[in-house]
């Protein structure tokens, strides 16, 4: 990933890293010294991309499935990031008490489908389909871990945006929504949503990102993110929030 800056292993079948992980990492406005929590880390792809893009940030990654967590630990070593990344095997509904209000940023790539909308064959796939932890639990876990004025960043399906926004409004403000279009003229399938805890600024809808041009190649903006490790352009001052203790 990121033009060869990030190397990683993943299962031969089943769970596969997608572009969503790179996009999520690009949308986190961390700076050197920021403390970041990655919920639903999988094999660590989003955390690895963020760690490489923002040298000096510290990342705790949480993954429920031990098999994927083992690969994530391997990937941390493969990229020599042991000093800045830690992997925790566990449930987002029972995070360590030390995580409470401890992070400047929380990034979340949750399972996209509720169980009642999943096909029979995909039920039980915890990477894609919600188990006992529902979307509300992911939002609450992210909020509980954030310090005041901290940023939470979600990537999710566009057809669940209304549900996600309703939940985030209960815990954060200054919400920014960015659609992700496959190509020009096609409806967005994914959205990025960013918000700040303890801030009440109104919601903003920005221009978003088109991933592919008419020839099936990355657009210039997408190329910059996927190959050159560029940050996602939210059109805001992305130098906040500073790590705890800094002005």
């Amino acid at each position: 990933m990121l033009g060869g800056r990030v190397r990683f292993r993943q299962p031969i079948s089943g769970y596969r890293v997608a572009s969503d992980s790179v996009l999520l990492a690009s949308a986190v406005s961390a700076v050197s010294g920021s403390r970041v929590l990655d919920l639903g880390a999988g094999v660590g792809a989003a955390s690895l991309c963020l760690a490489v893009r923002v040298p000096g940030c510290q990342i705790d990654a949480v993954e429920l499935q031990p098999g994927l967590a083992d690969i994530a630990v391997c990937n941390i070593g493969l990229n020599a990031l042991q000093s800045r990344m830690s992997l925790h095997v566990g449930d987002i509904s029972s995070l360590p008490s030390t995580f409470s209000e401890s992070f400047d940023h929380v990034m979340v790539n949750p399972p996209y489908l509720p169980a009642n909308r999943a096909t029979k064959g995909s039920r039980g796939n915890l990477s894609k389909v919600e188990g006992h932890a529902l979307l509300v639990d992911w939002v609450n876990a992210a909020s509980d871990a954030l310090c005041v004025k901290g940023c939470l960043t979600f990537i999710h399906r566009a057809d669940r945006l209304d549900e996600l926004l309703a939940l985030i409004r209960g815990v954060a403000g200054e919400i920014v929504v960015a659609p992700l279009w496959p190509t020009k003229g096609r409806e967005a399938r994914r959205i990025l949503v960013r918000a700040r805890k303890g801030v009440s600024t109104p919601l903003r809808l920005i221009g978003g990102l088109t991933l592919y041009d008419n020839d099936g190649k990355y657009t210039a903006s997408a190329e910059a993110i996927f190959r050159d490790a560029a940050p996602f352009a939210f059109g805001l001052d992305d130098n906040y929030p500073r790590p705890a203790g800094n002005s």
Side-chain angles (χ1 to χ4, degrees):
M1 297 182 290
L2 303 186
R5 294 173 178 84
V6 173
R7 301 169 62 209
F8 72 101
R9 295 188 173 107
Q10 62 182 342
I12 294 173
S13 61
Y15 172 91
R16 305 294 289 173
V17 172
S19 59
D20 293 5
S21 297
V22 184
L23 290 164
L24 175 62
S26 75
V28 177
S29 57
V31 297
S32 180
S34 292
R35 191 174 180 198
V36 182
L37 177 63
D38 179 6
L39 296 180
V43 299
S47 289
L48 295 169
C49 288
L50 181 63
V52 168
R53 181 172 68 82
V54 185
C57 71
Q58 298 287 327
I59 303 173
D60 287 271
V62 177
E63 173 52 43
L64 175 64
Q65 301 173 80
L68 297 183
D70 288 344
I71 298 174
V73 171
C74 173
N75 287 336
I76 291 170
L78 193 62
N79 291 274
L81 289 168
Q82 297 95 324
S83 64
R84 294 201 290 120
M85 284 183 61
S86 299
L87 196 288
H88 309 265
V89 183
D91 195 318
I92 59 102
S93 299
S94 55
L95 296 174
S97 59
T98 53
F99 281 13
S100 179
E101 297 191 338
S102 297
F103 293 90
D104 305 297
H105 298 268
V106 179
M107 59 179 178
V108 190
N109 184 3
Y112 287 155
L113 287 174
N116 62 3
R117 289 175 55 187
T119 62
K120 185 176 181 179
S122 65
R123 291 172 190 167
N125 184 338
L126 298 178
S127 298
K128 295 182 178 180
V129 181
E130 292 174 353
H132 72 275
L134 307 179
L135 186 55
V136 62
D137 300 308
W138 290 87
V139 172
N140 288 339
S143 174
D144 291 346
L146 273 176
C147 63
V148 176
K149 303 291 179 71
C151 279
L152 65 85
T153 307
F154 270 78
I155 189 165
H156 216 297
R157 286 170 58 113
D159 60 6
R160 296 191 73 184
L161 176 60
D162 56 344
E163 181 183 358
L164 180 59
L165 289 180
L167 295 170
I168 290 177
R169 283 194 187 98
V171 299
E174 199 172 277
I175 301 170
V176 186
V177 179
L180 301 171
W181 295 286
T183 58
K184 186 176 181 180
R186 294 183 61 187
E187 65 181 42
R189 298 176 182 173
R190 299 283 186 269
I191 41 91
L192 286 166
V193 178
R194 196 166 83 183
R196 295 179 71 195
K197 182 176 178 178
V199 178
S200 58
T201 308
L203 179 147
R204 297 174 64 238
L205 178 64
I206 64 170
L209 175 70
T210 301
L211 300 178
Y212 298 96
D213 61 23
N214 292 333
D215 296 324
K217 298 179 180 179
Y218 282 138
T219 61
S221 296
E223 180 82 12
I225 290 171
F226 289 121
R227 306 295 187 207
D228 301 327
F232 188 92
F234 271 93
L236 298 170
D237 177 7
D238 280 346
N239 291 322
Y240 67 75
R242 294 294 182 180
N246 291 353
S247 59

